[in-house]
């Protein structure tokens, strides 16, 4: 039997079987998509950490900062995707992004624009705090401590639920509670199906909780350090939520609604001031600047880092934001050198 492959036979094959080949190719693609969809990890909001550079914050080193954040292993094993994005002023993407729970932090500005109705002058940071769910730094710390407290051994918990400093000692954390929480929240995660995978995951989860305890302790130190500083040298930007919107609102009905909301608020620490960071491995002016019309580039002056509050949809990974804040502090200052 002559089975020799010739140009004529190859030509005849493609002439008569091209439809079959297309069908086979389509089936192969569909099968691959099915396999990928079945075995791929369906990322939760907490497993994706994203930070923004607001439209007035300019930087030629955005990628460099990202690489340093990744290189320092800032986040735990369960943060699978890390990303950043520059906001374009003409495209108001933040409402859509935040509605989809995309974003954990944003670098924005404090430069004031004169406003006849608001003698302090309006600024972008106030606008974001008024519009979105932005964490005050004290509430971020409080919620993180509450989360850690759920892992403290039963015999070390007080009847009144007082969160003592014992929680920051890894010997005070319950391995059983950490394991049970991990198995519960990872029950549908394809990465942890076998007994061996689960055992490896528990090790990683224990490391995550221990590391969070250390990060929270550092963050608390930062807030306590801020308490000792003079007003002109504070590390955090303070603001009373809804003040700017209330005082600049022209619609009388909405103004009354904002007045009621404003009166329920108090002055809080909302953002880390980048211009107060110095003596670090990196210089803030090499990474941050302002691109406002009418303003000369002042380096990091008037730039602040805000934290977004998505605790309700990422209860276990919300506090990766603390690790990010600590990373920025460590990169650009020596404030943690004493601990």
């Amino acid at each position: 039997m002559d089975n020799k492959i010739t140009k004529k036979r190859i030509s005849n094959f493609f002439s008569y079987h091209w439809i079959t080949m297309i069908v086979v190719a389509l089936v192969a693609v569909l099968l691959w998509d099915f396999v990928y969809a079945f075995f791929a990890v369906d990322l939760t909001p907490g497993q994706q950490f994203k930070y923004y550079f607001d439209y007035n914050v300019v930087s030629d080193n955005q990628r460099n900062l990202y690489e340093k954040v990744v290189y320092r292993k800032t986040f735990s094993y369960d943060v699978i995707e890390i990303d950043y994005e520059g906001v374009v002023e003409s495209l108001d993407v933040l409402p859509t992004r935040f509605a989809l729970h995309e974003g954990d932090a944003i670098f924005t500005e404090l430069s004031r624009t004169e406003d006849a109705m608001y003698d302090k002058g309006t600024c972008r940071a106030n606008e974001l705090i008024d519009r979105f769910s932005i964490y005050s730094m004290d509430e971020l710390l409080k919620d993180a401590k509450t989360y850690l407290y759920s892992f403290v051994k039963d015999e070390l918990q007080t009847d009144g639920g007082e969160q003592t400093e014992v929680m920051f000692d890894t010997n005070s954390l319950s391995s059983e509670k950490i394991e049970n929480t991990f198995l519960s929240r990872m029950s549908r995660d394809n990465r942890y199906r076998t007994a061996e995978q689960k055992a490896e995951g528990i090790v990683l989860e224990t490391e995550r909780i221990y590391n969070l305890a250390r990060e929270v302790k550092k963050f608390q130190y930062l807030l306590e350090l801020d308490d000792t500083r003079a007003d002109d040298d504070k590390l955090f930007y303070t603001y009373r939520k809804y003040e700017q919107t209330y005082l600049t609102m022209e619609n009388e009905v909405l103004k009354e609604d904002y007045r009621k909301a404003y009166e329920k608020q108090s002055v809080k620490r909302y953002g880390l001031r980048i211009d107060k960071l110095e003596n670090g491995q990196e210089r803030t002016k090499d990474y941050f600047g302002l691109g406002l019309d009418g303003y000369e580039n002042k380096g990091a002056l008037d730039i602040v880092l805000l934290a977004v509050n998505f605790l309700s949809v990422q209860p276990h990974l919300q506090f990766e934001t603390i690790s990010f804040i600590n990373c920025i502090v460590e990169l650009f200052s020596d404030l943690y050198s004493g601990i």
Side-chain angles (χ1 to χ4, degrees):
M1 185 176 182
D2 184 9
N3 291 324
K4 186 177 180 180
I5 298 176
T6 65
K7 290 183 179 180
K8 182 177 181 181
R9 286 178 174 175
I10 293 175
S11 177
N12 289 339
F13 176 82
F14 282 108
S15 297
Y16 293 105
H17 297 280
W18 64 272
I19 295 179
T20 302
M21 294 175 65
I22 292 176
V23 172
V24 170
L26 288 175
V27 170
V29 170
L30 292 174
L31 181 61
W32 172 254
D33 284 344
F34 173 78
V35 172
Y36 179 80
F38 183 79
F39 289 103
V41 177
D42 187 14
L43 299 184
T44 66
Q47 291 174 322
Q48 307 168 76
F49 192 96
K50 187 172 188 178
Y51 60 94
Y52 298 96
F53 291 89
D54 208 357
Y55 60 80
N56 288 329
V57 179
V58 296
S59 173
D60 294 329
N61 271 326
Q62 291 184 9
R63 182 68 188 182
N64 193 14
L65 179 61
Y66 166 82
E67 289 174 352
K68 288 185 180 298
V69 169
V70 173
Y71 176 77
R72 293 172 66 89
K73 298 181 179 179
T74 301
F75 306 108
S76 72
Y77 77 99
D78 206 22
V79 177
I80 299 170
E81 184 177 286
I82 306 166
D83 197 10
Y84 67 95
E85 180 180 350
V87 176
V88 179
E89 184 174 9
S90 58
L91 300 174
D92 193 6
V93 300
L94 289 181
T96 302
R97 297 284 194 272
F98 289 159
L100 297 173
H101 307 121
E102 294 180 6
D104 298 88
I106 181 169
F107 294 100
T108 189
E109 53 86 22
L110 299 172
S111 298
R112 302 285 178 164
T113 301
E114 291 185 6
D115 191 297
M117 300 178 68
Y118 187 39
D119 57 4
K120 295 180 181 179
T122 60
C123 78
R124 174 66 168 171
N126 293 351
E127 176 190 342
L128 296 179
I129 294 169
D130 286 357
R131 289 178 65 188
F132 303 113
S133 182
I134 303 297
Y135 249 128
S136 77
M137 295 297 166
D138 293 279
E139 289 169 342
L140 177 60
L141 174 64
K142 180 178 180 293
D143 286 348
K145 292 172 71 174
T146 298
Y147 178 70
L148 281 174
Y149 193 70
S150 67
F151 296 103
V152 172
K153 295 175 181 177
D154 290 338
E155 61 269 24
L156 297 177
Q157 292 187 348
T158 62
D159 293 337
E162 181 183 356
Q163 299 168 20
T164 64
E165 295 308 310
V166 71
M167 74 168 61
F168 297 124
D169 181 358
T170 54
N171 293 325
S172 303
L173 299 173
S174 168
S175 298
E176 182 180 0
K177 289 183 177 182
I178 293 173
E179 179 178 340
N180 290 340
T181 301
F182 170 80
L183 294 176
S184 175
R185 75 184 188 89
M186 295 296 188
S187 60
R188 297 184 179 181
D189 194 310
N190 291 327
R191 295 174 297 168
Y192 304 104
R193 290 183 173 275
T194 68
E196 182 180 358
Q197 290 172 333
K198 290 177 181 178
E200 292 175 352
I202 290 169
V203 172
L204 293 172
E205 181 76 347
T206 302
E207 180 182 341
R208 181 183 77 85
I209 298 299
Y210 285 0
N211 186 64
L212 176 59
R214 290 188 289 270
E215 295 293 325
V216 168
K217 187 174 183 179
K218 287 193 293 187
F219 187 54
Q220 177 170 286
Y221 170 83
L222 191 69
L223 291 171
E224 291 172 347
L225 181 62
D226 182 63
D227 290 333
T228 67
R229 293 196 162 200
D231 290 344
D232 292 340
D233 199 33
K234 292 292 187 183
L235 297 168
F236 294 95
Y237 170 66
T238 58
Y239 173 65
R240 186 173 178 181
K241 188 176 177 71
Y242 301 126
E243 178 180 295
Q244 178 172 295
T245 304
Y246 160 54
L247 293 177
T248 58
M249 178 62 63
E250 296 183 357
N251 183 299
E252 291 301 322
V253 175
L254 292 178
K255 190 178 185 71
E256 180 62 16
D257 290 339
Y258 274 106
R259 181 190 66 79
K260 294 177 181 178
Y262 165 69
E263 291 179 347
K264 294 178 181 178
Q265 302 297 319
S266 59
V267 175
K268 298 176 181 178
R269 295 184 277 198
Y270 276 103
L272 175 68
R273 295 202 56 147
I274 301 301
D275 60 328
K276 299 302 181 182
L277 304 179
E278 56 186 15
N279 302 321
Q281 302 170 18
E282 307 293 333
R283 300 184 304 176
T284 56
K285 67 179 182 180
D286 292 336
Y287 288 82
F288 303 98
L290 285 178
L292 287 167
D293 292 337
Y295 290 87
E296 59 179 303
N297 192 311
K298 302 177 182 179
L301 184 64
D302 285 342
I303 293 177
V304 64
L305 175 60
L306 304 178
V308 184
N309 182 351
F310 285 144
L311 180 62
S312 62
V313 296
Q314 52 182 31
H316 296 282
L317 297 176
Q318 171 65 65
F319 309 111
E320 300 286 340
T321 306
I322 290 179
S323 298
F324 181 67
I325 294 172
N326 286 343
C327 175
I328 297 300
V329 171
E330 290 172 332
L331 276 173
F332 296 102
S333 81
D334 59 356
L335 292 173
Y336 287 152
S337 61
I339 59 174

